């Protein structure tokens, strides 16, 4: 029973897109930056939110499929970050769990945008709601933690070579005052 509760807790973090750790500082723009990919803060924030929505769609598909074919996530996360995320999906599959429902991204704000004409890094704060998501075990029983927070404050970092190709590179639980 303790192993099932520990796995359910890890999966609850997966639902919020968070693998823990303290927020890391984003790189500063280079001195030789020419025309950046994002002309305004609003463009950078909108592109990051769109990239996270794409991540949540793929994440939901993999969760619904019980963690099978986790490599699908490579289209929306960096290769480095995929190592953590794919390990979580494999844990989901190993336990015979699946995730149903939909998460949301709300209350976003730009922390920083950096880069140049060929590469961008965008860091945002976001409240991610677990919405209707449920964790279902192999026997069809809902094992979703009853005391989970409905929204999780996250620091999300994205990188890409253009506005349409931002990928999630990091997702950290915000440890300061809850802004959700």
């Amino acid at each position: 029973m303790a192993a099932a509760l520990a796995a359910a807790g890890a999966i609850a973090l997966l639902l919020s897109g968070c693998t823990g750790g303290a927020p890391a500082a984003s790189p500063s723009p280079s001195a030789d930056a020419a025309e950046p990919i994002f002309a305004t803060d609003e463009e950078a924030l909108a592109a990051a939110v769109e990239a996270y929505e794409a991540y949540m769609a793929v994440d939901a598909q993999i969760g619904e499929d019980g963690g099978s074919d986790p490599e699908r996530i490579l289209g929306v996360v960096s290769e480095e970050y995929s190592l953590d995320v794919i390990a979580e999906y494999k844990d989901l599959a190993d336990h015979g769990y699946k995730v149903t429902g939909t998460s949301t991204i709300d209350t976003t704000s730009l922390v920083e945008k950096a880069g140049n004409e060929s590469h961008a890094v965008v860091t945002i704060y976001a409240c991610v709601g677990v919405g209707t998501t449920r964790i279902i075990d192999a026997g069809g029983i809902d094992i979703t933690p009853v005391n989970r927070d409905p929204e999780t404050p996250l620091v999300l970092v994205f990188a890409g070579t253009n506005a349409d190709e931002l990928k999630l590179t990091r997702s950290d639980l915000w440890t300061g005052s809850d802004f959700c």
Side-chain angles (χ1 to χ4, degrees):
M1 182 64 170
L5 288 176
I11 291 165
L13 283 175
L14 173 66
L15 290 175
S16 67
C18 175
T19 59
S26 295
S28 298
S30 65
D32 62 347
E35 294 289 323
I37 290 174
F38 299 110
T40 67
D41 290 352
E42 292 77 18
E43 285 179 11
L45 179 60
V49 169
E50 187 175 317
Y52 197 72
E53 288 171 340
Y55 162 80
M56 288 189 308
V58 176
D59 177 64
Q61 291 170 353
I62 297 170
E64 184 76 31
D65 293 341
S68 67
D69 193 19
E71 291 76 16
R72 292 178 277 176
I73 204 70
L74 285 168
V76 293
V77 302
S78 67
E79 190 171 331
E80 182 180 325
Y81 186 57
S82 74
L83 300 175
D84 294 333
V85 178
I86 288 172
E88 291 173 358
Y89 294 132
K90 288 184 178 181
D91 189 51
L92 187 76
D94 289 348
H95 284 90
Y97 298 161
K98 73 178 200 168
V99 180
T100 63
T102 307
S103 295
T104 60
I105 181 171
D106 305 300
T107 317
T108 59
S109 63
L110 181 70
V111 175
E112 182 176 27
K113 68 178 170 72
N116 55 37
E117 73 279 357
S118 63
H119 185 75
V121 176
V122 179
T123 304
I124 68 171
Y125 294 131
C127 294
V128 176
V130 293
T132 61
T133 59
R134 310 305 296 164
I135 304 167
I136 309 300
D137 73 9
I141 303 203
D142 184 344
I143 59 167
T144 308
V146 293
N147 60 345
R148 72 178 175 172
D149 290 329
E151 287 190 311
T152 304
L154 297 177
V155 178
L156 303 172
V157 182
F158 304 86
T161 56
N162 66 56
D164 297 328
E165 292 184 16
L166 283 184
K167 290 186 175 187
L168 183 63
T169 63
R170 205 177 158 112
S171 175
D172 295 312
L173 182 64
W174 172 251
T175 57
S177 295
D178 190 343
F179 55 82
C180 289

